[in-house]
Amino acid sequence: MLTKWAAAIAVTACGVVLGAAQPSFPTPPTDAPTIDFPVPSAGPNPGGGSAPSIAPVPPTGSNGKPVRPPGVGAPPLPRSVNVQLKVERDGSLTVREQVIVQARQTMTRTAPLRIGDRVFTVRDPRVDGSGTAAVEGDNLVLRLGEGASTVQYTVDGAVEDLGDHQRFRWQVASGWDSKLVLVRGSLLTPRRGSNFTCLAGAANTEDRCESALTDGGSVLRVVQSNLDAGARVDLAADLPAGTVPANARFEAAGTTAAAFALTPLSGTGLGVALLLLLAGFAVLWRARSRDAAALGADVEPVELLDSAAGRAVFASPDGVLPGQVGTVVDERVDPRDLSATVVDLAVRNYLWITEVDGDWQLVRRNPADDALSGYERTVYTALLPEGTESVRLSALRATPPDVSAVRAAVYGDAVAHDWFGRKPTGLGPLVIAGIVVFALGAALTVLLGVVGGPALLGVALAVVGVGLVLGGRLMPVRTERGSVLLQQIRGVHTYLNTADPDSVAAADREVVFSRGLPYAVALDDAEQWLTRFGALDSAADGAPGLYWYATQDPVAATDQQRFTEQFRAFLTGLDEVFAKA
């Protein structure tokens, strides 16, 4: 047995060497003789009797076994393929593959039927032997078991019309999951072919087959040994014009692969998307740098007072209110921000705070009018609903008001003043726009992929949408105007820590103290602000006590130290109310 295999290998190696020594793809001379001989037809014999048979019968020896005539090759090697191709007169290609699979092993071929924009169709695949053959999607799939199997099928789309000639193309071998020891193929066409091209190796490589020669009968025979798994033997030939009906099919504009191919149009779209992303990154970088500078840069004190006609007039930077100050700084509405709003409403004569039996009472003093901002009216209504003239702090502790609308109103006011580009708790216009753009890009990608258009344009649009979403989430909540205000608020904080009460006229000190107190509360500077104005004479303006705060003890009305202690307790209780709300 080993001797037979050794002989087979030797014969095969000699054939390969001799084939390699010949020039590839010789074009036969036009005057080459042809050999035509009559083939007996089936049916009655004119001379009587049945028609002679042309089926070859191998000779047998004395033992009854077939005898291999001299010159006949050895049995095929395992993992070898012999392919016979015949171009029929209707333009179809009939294929017969003889595959030898090694014992106790299997071989699978997944042959692509879509190569670039060229589309082939396989019909009537069948297997004589151990295995199956079927068309699965864009592939011809052969699954073969051990031993010898013969696969037959018909291919449409192998002949292309190029005007003055036709072009045949088919991959003799491709997509095998095993390395092939030997591939032999033959191509028979109705008329003599020319300009044969046989490529072997991985897809898109230009390596020639080991041997591709035509015999005297104009049959092209190719040989390739040691073909790697997944590699192909790609065979092409020119045929005279009109040899057979051309049936090549191309679907460059209607295939998914073509839809996602990089074209000048889709490349331009991707380039524009990249430029937009780079521009967006630059804007994001600038905005975050600006916001970081607003938080860390050195600032000068910003006074809350302005002198007009010799009197101190209160003026906050950009009209910011106490309840908005803390929100601009930390981008959230804290209980202390709402407490500062209540104090500010009292200072501005909308509420009156009075001590009652160890408790505090908020009393309606003036109705909410158009001078109040949206969130201030919401706070006012939450504390004193329509028909309620007063409420005690202890009652608010027991049943805290719903301030969810207040928080939303504070954020809304910040956006309306262009201090915030979006609500910190919301998506924001950039994110919403990004979601819409991404959805449009995804839908466009699917649509163009189905109809075969430049689907990469949809991908580019979707990428821009993703960039908008990420940019919208990373973009600082504060706008450029908000960053400027933040620096001014930090200057107000510096002023509250350095203001000298003695520099203010005695008659104006109560107003300065009262108007500045809500800002000190919002910025957590209430303690030092109360201490700084501890020597305040609230009767210096002609009326004892603070005009917005009352006590039942007439002596305590002018005692600033006692007010400081009571106000601290009131503020703590008010913070608890809003922390529970």
Coordinates of all heavy atoms in Angstrom, one line a residue, residues 391-480:
V391 N -48.9 81.2 58.4 CA -48.6 79.8 58.7 C -47.5 79.8 59.7 O -46.6 80.6 59.6 CB -48.3 79.0 57.4 CG1 -47.0 79.6 56.7 CG2 -48.1 77.6 57.7
R392 N -47.5 78.8 60.6 CA -46.4 78.7 61.5 C -45.4 77.8 61.0 O -45.6 76.8 60.3 CB -47.0 78.2 62.9 CG -47.8 79.2 63.6 CD -47.9 78.9 65.1 NE -48.7 80.0 65.8 CZ -48.7 80.1 67.1 NH1 -48.0 79.2 67.9 NH2 -49.4 81.0 67.7
L393 N -44.1 78.0 61.5 CA -43.0 77.2 61.1 C -43.2 75.7 61.5 O -42.9 74.8 60.8 CB -41.7 77.8 61.6 CG -40.4 77.1 61.1 CD1 -40.3 77.2 59.6 CD2 -39.2 77.7 61.8
S394 N -43.8 75.6 62.7 CA -44.0 74.2 63.2 C -45.0 73.5 62.4 O -44.9 72.2 62.2 CB -44.6 74.3 64.7 OG -45.8 75.1 64.7
A395 N -46.0 74.2 61.8 CA -47.0 73.5 60.9 C -46.3 73.1 59.6 O -46.6 72.0 59.0 CB -48.2 74.5 60.6
L396 N -45.4 73.9 59.1 CA -44.7 73.6 57.9 C -43.7 72.4 58.1 O -43.6 71.6 57.2 CB -43.8 74.8 57.4 CG -44.6 76.0 56.9 CD1 -43.7 77.2 56.6 CD2 -45.5 75.6 55.7
R397 N -43.2 72.3 59.3 CA -42.4 71.2 59.7 C -43.2 69.9 59.7 O -42.8 68.8 59.2 CB -41.7 71.3 61.0 CG -40.5 72.2 61.0 CD -40.0 72.4 62.5 NE -38.8 73.2 62.6 CZ -38.2 73.5 63.7 NH1 -38.8 73.2 64.9 NH2 -37.1 74.2 63.7
A398 N -44.4 70.0 60.2 CA -45.3 68.8 60.3 C -45.8 68.4 58.9 O -45.8 67.2 58.6 CB -46.5 69.1 61.2
T399 N -46.1 69.4 58.0 CA -46.6 69.1 56.7 C -45.8 70.0 55.7 O -46.2 71.1 55.3 CB -48.1 69.4 56.6 OG1 -48.8 68.7 57.6 CG2 -48.6 68.9 55.2
P400 N -44.6 69.5 55.3 CA -43.8 70.3 54.4 C -44.5 70.5 53.0 O -45.2 69.6 52.5 CB -42.6 69.5 54.2 CG -42.5 68.5 55.3 CD -44.0 68.2 55.6
P401 N -44.4 71.7 52.5 CA -45.1 72.0 51.2 C -44.3 71.3 50.0 O -43.1 70.9 50.2 CB -44.9 73.5 51.0 CG -43.7 73.8 51.8 CD -43.7 72.9 53.0
D402 N -45.0 71.0 49.0 CA -44.4 70.4 47.8 C -43.6 71.5 47.0 O -44.2 72.5 46.5 CB -45.5 69.8 46.9 CG -44.9 69.1 45.7 OD1 -43.6 69.0 45.6 OD2 -45.7 68.7 44.8
V403 N -42.3 71.4 47.0 CA -41.5 72.4 46.3 C -40.9 71.9 45.0 O -39.9 72.5 44.5 CB -40.4 72.9 47.3 CG1 -41.0 73.6 48.5 CG2 -39.5 71.8 47.7
S404 N -41.4 70.8 44.5 CA -40.8 70.2 43.2 C -41.0 71.3 42.1 O -40.1 71.5 41.3 CB -41.5 68.9 42.9 OG -42.9 69.1 42.8
A405 N -42.2 71.9 42.1 CA -42.4 73.0 41.1 C -41.5 74.2 41.3 O -41.1 74.8 40.4 CB -43.9 73.4 41.2
V406 N -41.1 74.4 42.6 CA -40.2 75.5 42.9 C -38.8 75.3 42.2 O -38.3 76.2 41.6 CB -40.1 75.7 44.4 CG1 -39.1 76.8 44.7 CG2 -41.4 76.1 45.0
R407 N -38.4 74.1 42.4 CA -37.0 73.7 41.9 C -37.1 73.9 40.3 O -36.1 74.4 39.7 CB -36.6 72.3 42.3 CG -36.3 72.2 43.7 CD -35.7 70.8 44.1 NE -35.3 70.7 45.4 CZ -36.1 70.3 46.4 NH1 -37.3 69.9 46.2 NH2 -35.6 70.2 47.6
A408 N -38.1 73.3 39.7 CA -38.2 73.4 38.3 C -38.3 74.9 37.8 O -37.7 75.3 36.8 CB -39.5 72.7 37.8
A409 N -39.0 75.8 38.6 CA -39.1 77.2 38.3 C -37.7 77.9 38.4 O -37.4 78.8 37.6 CB -40.1 77.8 39.2
V410 N -36.9 77.5 39.4 CA -35.6 78.1 39.6 C -34.7 77.8 38.4 O -34.1 78.7 37.8 CB -34.9 77.6 40.9 CG1 -33.5 78.2 41.0 CG2 -35.7 78.1 42.1
Y411 N -34.7 76.5 38.0 CA -34.0 76.1 36.8 C -34.5 76.9 35.5 O -33.7 77.3 34.7 CB -34.0 74.6 36.6 CG -33.3 73.8 37.7 CD1 -33.9 72.7 38.2 CD2 -32.1 74.2 38.2 CE1 -33.3 71.9 39.2 CE2 -31.4 73.5 39.2 CZ -32.0 72.3 39.7 OH -31.4 71.6 40.6
G412 N -35.8 76.9 35.4 CA -36.4 77.6 34.3 C -36.0 79.1 34.2 O -35.7 79.6 33.1
D413 N -36.0 79.8 35.4 CA -35.5 81.2 35.4 C -34.1 81.3 35.0 O -33.7 82.3 34.3 CB -35.8 81.8 36.8 CG -37.2 82.3 37.0 OD1 -38.0 82.2 36.1 OD2 -37.5 82.9 38.1
A414 N -33.2 80.4 35.5 CA -31.8 80.4 35.1 C -31.6 80.3 33.6 O -30.8 81.0 33.0 CB -31.0 79.4 35.9
V415 N -32.4 79.4 33.0 CA -32.3 79.2 31.5 C -32.9 80.5 30.8 O -32.3 80.9 29.8 CB -33.1 78.0 31.1 CG1 -33.2 77.9 29.6 CG2 -32.5 76.7 31.7
A416 N -34.0 81.0 31.3 CA -34.6 82.2 30.7 C -33.6 83.4 30.8 O -33.6 84.2 29.9 CB -35.9 82.6 31.4
H417 N -32.8 83.5 31.8 CA -31.8 84.6 31.9 C -30.6 84.3 31.2 O -29.6 85.1 31.2 CB -31.5 84.9 33.4 CG -32.5 85.6 34.2 ND1 -33.6 85.0 34.7 CD2 -32.7 87.0 34.4 CE1 -34.4 85.9 35.3 NE2 -33.8 87.1 35.1
D418 N -30.5 83.2 30.5 CA -29.3 82.8 29.8 C -28.1 82.5 30.7 O -26.9 82.7 30.2 CB -29.0 83.8 28.7 CG -28.0 83.2 27.6 OD1 -28.0 82.0 27.4 OD2 -27.2 84.0 27.1
W419 N -28.3 82.2 31.9 CA -27.2 81.8 32.8 C -26.9 80.3 32.6 O -25.8 79.9 32.7 CB -27.6 82.1 34.3 CG -27.8 83.5 34.6 CD1 -27.2 84.6 34.0 CD2 -28.7 84.0 35.5 NE1 -27.7 85.8 34.5 CE2 -28.6 85.5 35.5 CE3 -29.6 83.5 36.4 CZ2 -29.4 86.3 36.3 CZ3 -30.4 84.3 37.3 CH2 -30.2 85.7 37.2
F420 N -28.0 79.5 32.3 CA -27.8 78.1 32.0 C -28.3 77.8 30.6 O -29.2 78.4 30.1 CB -28.7 77.3 33.0 CG -28.2 77.1 34.4 CD1 -29.0 76.5 35.3 CD2 -27.0 77.7 34.8 CE1 -28.6 76.4 36.6 CE2 -26.6 77.6 36.1 CZ -27.4 76.9 37.0
G421 N -27.5 76.9 30.0 CA -27.9 76.5 28.6 C -29.0 75.5 28.6 O -29.7 75.3 27.6
R422 N -29.2 74.8 29.7 CA -30.2 73.8 29.9 C -30.4 73.6 31.4 O -29.7 74.0 32.2 CB -29.8 72.5 29.3 CG -28.5 71.9 29.9 CD -28.1 70.6 29.2 NE -26.7 70.2 29.7 CZ -26.5 69.5 30.8 NH1 -27.5 69.1 31.6 NH2 -25.3 69.1 31.1
K423 N -31.5 72.9 31.7 CA -31.8 72.6 33.1 C -30.8 71.4 33.5 O -30.7 70.5 32.7 CB -33.2 72.1 33.3 CG -34.3 73.2 33.0 CD -35.7 72.7 33.3 CE -36.7 73.8 33.0 NZ -38.1 73.3 33.3
P424 N -30.2 71.5 34.6 CA -29.3 70.5 35.0 C -29.9 69.1 35.1 O -29.3 68.1 35.0 CB -28.8 70.9 36.4 CG -29.0 72.4 36.4 CD -30.2 72.7 35.6
T425 N -31.2 69.1 35.4 CA -31.9 67.8 35.5 C -32.5 67.3 34.2 O -33.1 66.3 34.1 CB -33.1 67.9 36.6 OG1 -33.9 69.0 36.2 CG2 -32.5 68.2 37.9
G426 N -32.4 68.1 33.1 CA -33.0 67.8 31.9 C -32.0 67.4 30.8 O -30.8 67.4 31.1
L427 N -32.5 67.0 29.7 CA -31.6 66.6 28.6 C -30.9 67.8 27.9 O -29.7 67.7 27.6 CB -32.4 65.8 27.6 CG -33.0 64.4 28.0 CD1 -33.8 63.8 26.9 CD2 -31.9 63.5 28.5
G428 N -31.6 68.8 27.7 CA -31.1 70.0 27.1 C -31.3 69.9 25.6 O -31.4 68.8 25.0
P429 N -31.2 71.0 24.9 CA -31.5 71.1 23.5 C -30.5 70.3 22.6 O -30.8 69.7 21.6 CB -31.5 72.6 23.1 CG -30.7 73.2 24.3 CD -31.0 72.4 25.5
L430 N -29.2 70.3 23.1 CA -28.2 69.6 22.3 C -28.4 68.1 22.3 O -28.3 67.4 21.3 CB -26.8 70.0 22.8 CG -26.1 71.2 22.3 CD1 -24.7 71.4 22.9 CD2 -26.0 71.1 20.8
V431 N -28.7 67.6 23.5 CA -28.9 66.2 23.6 C -30.2 65.8 22.8 O -30.2 64.7 22.1 CB -29.1 65.8 25.1 CG1 -29.5 64.3 25.2 CG2 -27.8 66.0 25.9
I432 N -31.2 66.6 22.9 CA -32.5 66.2 22.2 C -32.2 66.3 20.7 O -32.6 65.4 20.0 CB -33.6 67.2 22.6 CG1 -34.0 67.0 24.1 CG2 -34.8 67.0 21.7 CD1 -35.0 68.0 24.6
A433 N -31.5 67.3 20.3 CA -31.1 67.4 18.8 C -30.3 66.2 18.4 O -30.4 65.6 17.3 CB -30.4 68.7 18.6
G434 N -29.3 65.8 19.3 CA -28.5 64.6 19.0 C -29.3 63.4 18.9 O -29.0 62.5 18.0
I435 N -30.3 63.2 19.7 CA -31.1 62.0 19.7 C -31.9 62.0 18.3 O -32.0 60.9 17.7 CB -32.1 61.9 20.9 CG1 -31.3 61.7 22.1 CG2 -33.1 60.8 20.7 CD1 -32.1 61.8 23.4
V436 N -32.4 63.1 18.0 CA -33.2 63.2 16.7 C -32.3 63.0 15.5 O -32.6 62.2 14.6 CB -33.8 64.6 16.6 CG1 -34.5 64.8 15.2 CG2 -34.9 64.8 17.7
V437 N -31.1 63.6 15.5 CA -30.1 63.4 14.4 C -29.7 61.9 14.3 O -29.6 61.3 13.2 CB -28.9 64.3 14.6 CG1 -27.9 64.0 13.5 CG2 -29.4 65.8 14.4
F438 N -29.4 61.3 15.5 CA -29.0 59.9 15.5 C -30.1 59.0 14.9 O -29.9 58.1 14.1 CB -28.7 59.5 16.9 CG -28.4 58.0 17.0 CD1 -27.1 57.5 16.6 CD2 -29.3 57.1 17.5 CE1 -26.9 56.1 16.7 CE2 -29.1 55.7 17.5 CZ -27.8 55.3 17.1
A439 N -31.4 59.3 15.3 CA -32.5 58.5 14.9 C -32.6 58.6 13.3 O -32.9 57.6 12.6 CB -33.8 58.9 15.6
L440 N -32.5 59.9 12.9 CA -32.6 60.1 11.4 C -31.4 59.4 10.7 O -31.6 58.8 9.6 CB -32.6 61.6 11.1 CG -33.8 62.4 11.5 CD1 -33.6 63.9 11.3 CD2 -35.0 61.9 10.8
G441 N -30.2 59.4 11.3 CA -29.1 58.8 10.6 C -29.3 57.3 10.6 O -28.9 56.6 9.6
A442 N -29.8 56.7 11.7 CA -30.0 55.2 11.7 C -31.0 54.8 10.7 O -30.9 53.8 10.0 CB -30.4 54.8 13.1
A443 N -32.1 55.6 10.6 CA -33.2 55.3 9.7 C -32.7 55.4 8.2 O -33.0 54.6 7.4 CB -34.4 56.2 9.9
L444 N -31.9 56.5 8.0 CA -31.3 56.7 6.7 C -30.3 55.6 6.3 O -30.3 55.1 5.1 CB -30.6 58.0 6.6 CG -30.1 58.5 5.2 CD1 -31.2 58.6 4.2 CD2 -29.3 59.8 5.3
T445 N -29.6 55.1 7.3 CA -28.6 54.0 7.0 C -29.4 52.8 6.6 O -29.0 52.1 5.6 CB -27.8 53.7 8.3 OG1 -27.1 54.9 8.6 CG2 -26.8 52.6 8.0
V446 N -30.4 52.4 7.3 CA -31.2 51.2 7.0 C -31.8 51.4 5.6 O -31.8 50.5 4.8 CB -32.3 51.0 8.0 CG1 -33.2 49.8 7.6 CG2 -31.6 50.7 9.4
L447 N -32.4 52.6 5.3 CA -33.1 52.8 4.1 C -32.1 52.7 2.9 O -32.4 52.0 1.9 CB -33.8 54.1 4.1 CG -34.5 54.6 2.8 CD1 -35.6 53.6 2.4 CD2 -35.0 56.0 2.9
L448 N -31.0 53.4 3.0 CA -30.0 53.4 1.9 C -29.4 52.0 1.8 O -29.0 51.6 0.7 CB -29.0 54.4 2.1 CG -29.4 55.9 2.1 CD1 -28.3 56.8 2.4 CD2 -30.0 56.2 0.7
G449 N -29.2 51.3 2.9 CA -28.7 49.9 2.8 C -29.6 49.0 2.1 O -29.2 48.1 1.3
V450 N -30.9 49.2 2.2 CA -31.9 48.3 1.5 C -32.0 48.6 0.1 O -32.0 47.7 -0.8 CB -33.3 48.5 2.2 CG1 -34.4 47.8 1.3 CG2 -33.3 47.9 3.6
V451 N -32.0 50.0 -0.3 CA -32.1 50.3 -1.7 C -30.8 50.4 -2.4 O -30.8 50.6 -3.6 CB -32.9 51.7 -1.8 CG1 -34.2 51.6 -1.2 CG2 -32.0 52.8 -1.2
G452 N -29.7 50.2 -1.7 CA -28.4 50.2 -2.3 C -27.8 51.6 -2.5 O -26.9 51.8 -3.3
G453 N -28.3 52.6 -1.8 CA -27.7 53.9 -1.9 C -26.5 54.1 -1.0 O -26.0 53.1 -0.4
P454 N -25.9 55.3 -0.9 CA -24.7 55.5 -0.1 C -25.0 55.5 1.4 O -25.2 56.5 2.0 CB -24.2 56.9 -0.6 CG -25.4 57.6 -1.1 CD -26.3 56.5 -1.6
A455 N -25.1 54.3 2.0 CA -25.5 54.1 3.4 C -24.5 54.8 4.3 O -24.9 55.1 5.5 CB -25.7 52.7 3.7
L456 N -23.3 55.0 3.9 CA -22.3 55.6 4.8 C -22.7 57.1 5.1 O -22.3 57.6 6.2 CB -20.9 55.6 4.2 CG -20.2 54.2 4.2 CD1 -18.9 54.3 3.6 CD2 -20.2 53.7 5.7
L457 N -23.5 57.7 4.3 CA -24.0 59.0 4.6 C -24.9 58.9 5.9 O -24.9 59.8 6.7 CB -24.8 59.6 3.4 CG -24.0 60.0 2.2 CD1 -24.9 60.5 1.1 CD2 -23.0 61.0 2.5
G458 N -25.8 57.9 6.0 CA -26.6 57.7 7.2 C -25.7 57.4 8.4 O -26.0 57.9 9.5
V459 N -24.6 56.7 8.2 CA -23.7 56.4 9.3 C -23.1 57.7 9.8 O -22.9 58.0 11.0 CB -22.6 55.4 8.9 CG1 -21.6 55.2 9.9 CG2 -23.3 54.0 8.5
A460 N -22.7 58.5 8.8 CA -22.1 59.8 9.2 C -23.0 60.7 10.0 O -22.7 61.3 11.0 CB -21.6 60.6 7.9
L461 N -24.3 60.7 9.5 CA -25.3 61.5 10.3 C -25.5 60.9 11.7 O -25.7 61.7 12.6 CB -26.6 61.5 9.5 CG -27.7 62.4 9.9 CD1 -27.2 63.9 9.8 CD2 -29.0 62.2 9.1
A462 N -25.6 59.6 11.8 CA -25.7 59.0 13.1 C -24.5 59.3 14.0 O -24.7 59.6 15.2 CB -25.9 57.5 13.0
V463 N -23.3 59.3 13.5 CA -22.1 59.7 14.2 C -22.2 61.1 14.7 O -21.9 61.4 15.9 CB -20.9 59.4 13.4 CG1 -19.6 60.0 14.1 CG2 -20.6 58.0 13.2
V464 N -22.7 62.0 13.9 CA -22.9 63.4 14.3 C -23.9 63.4 15.5 O -23.7 64.2 16.4 CB -23.3 64.3 13.1 CG1 -23.7 65.7 13.6 CG2 -22.2 64.4 12.1
G465 N -25.0 62.6 15.4 CA -26.0 62.6 16.4 C -25.4 62.1 17.7 O -25.6 62.7 18.8
V466 N -24.5 61.1 17.7 CA -23.9 60.6 18.9 C -23.0 61.7 19.5 O -22.9 61.9 20.7 CB -23.1 59.3 18.6 CG1 -22.2 58.9 19.8 CG2 -24.0 58.2 18.2
G467 N -22.3 62.4 18.6 CA -21.4 63.5 19.0 C -22.2 64.6 19.7 O -21.8 65.2 20.8
L468 N -23.4 64.9 19.2 CA -24.2 65.9 19.8 C -24.7 65.5 21.2 O -24.7 66.3 22.2 CB -25.4 66.2 18.9 CG -25.1 67.1 17.7 CD1 -26.4 67.2 16.8 CD2 -24.7 68.5 18.1
V469 N -25.1 64.2 21.3 CA -25.5 63.7 22.6 C -24.4 63.8 23.7 O -24.6 64.3 24.8 CB -26.0 62.2 22.5 CG1 -26.3 61.6 23.9 CG2 -27.3 62.2 21.7
L470 N -23.2 63.3 23.3 CA -22.1 63.3 24.2 C -21.7 64.8 24.5 O -21.4 65.1 25.7 CB -20.9 62.6 23.6 CG -21.1 61.0 23.4 CD1 -19.9 60.4 22.8 CD2 -21.4 60.4 24.8
G471 N -21.6 65.6 23.5 CA -21.3 67.0 23.7 C -22.3 67.7 24.6 O -21.9 68.5 25.5
G472 N -23.6 67.4 24.4 CA -24.6 68.0 25.2 C -24.5 67.6 26.7 O -24.8 68.4 27.6
R473 N -24.1 66.4 26.9 CA -24.0 65.9 28.3 C -22.7 66.5 29.0 O -22.6 66.7 30.2 CB -23.9 64.4 28.4 CG -25.2 63.8 28.0 CD -26.5 64.3 28.7 NE -26.4 64.2 30.1 CZ -27.3 64.7 31.0 NH1 -28.2 65.5 30.5 NH2 -27.2 64.5 32.2
L474 N -21.6 66.7 28.2 CA -20.4 67.2 28.7 C -20.3 68.7 28.7 O -19.4 69.2 29.4 CB -19.2 66.6 27.9 CG -19.0 65.1 27.9 CD1 -17.9 64.6 27.0 CD2 -18.7 64.6 29.3
M475 N -21.1 69.3 27.9 CA -21.1 70.8 27.9 C -21.5 71.4 29.3 O -22.5 70.9 29.9 CB -22.1 71.3 26.8 CG -22.1 72.8 26.7 SD -20.6 73.4 25.9 CE -20.8 72.8 24.2
P476 N -20.8 72.4 29.8 CA -21.1 73.0 31.1 C -22.6 73.5 31.0 O -23.1 74.0 30.0 CB -20.1 74.1 31.2 CG -19.0 73.8 30.4 CD -19.6 73.0 29.2
V477 N -23.3 73.3 32.2 CA -24.6 73.8 32.3 C -24.6 75.4 32.2 O -25.5 76.0 31.5 CB -25.3 73.4 33.6 CG1 -26.6 74.1 33.8 CG2 -25.4 71.9 33.6
R478 N -23.6 76.0 32.7 CA -23.5 77.5 32.7 C -23.1 77.9 31.3 O -22.2 77.4 30.7 CB -22.6 78.0 33.7 CG -23.1 78.0 35.1 CD -22.0 78.6 36.1 NE -20.9 77.7 36.2 CZ -20.8 76.8 37.2 NH1 -21.7 76.7 38.1 NH2 -19.7 76.0 37.3
T479 N -23.8 79.0 30.8 CA -23.4 79.6 29.5 C -22.3 80.6 29.8 O -21.8 80.7 30.9 CB -24.6 80.3 28.9 OG1 -25.0 81.4 29.9 CG2 -25.8 79.4 28.7
E480 N -21.8 81.2 28.7 CA -20.8 82.2 28.9 C -21.2 83.3 29.8 O -20.5 83.8 30.7 CB -20.4 82.8 27.5 CG -19.2 83.7 27.6 CD -18.7 84.1 26.2 OE1 -19.2 83.6 25.2 OE2 -17.7 84.9 26.2

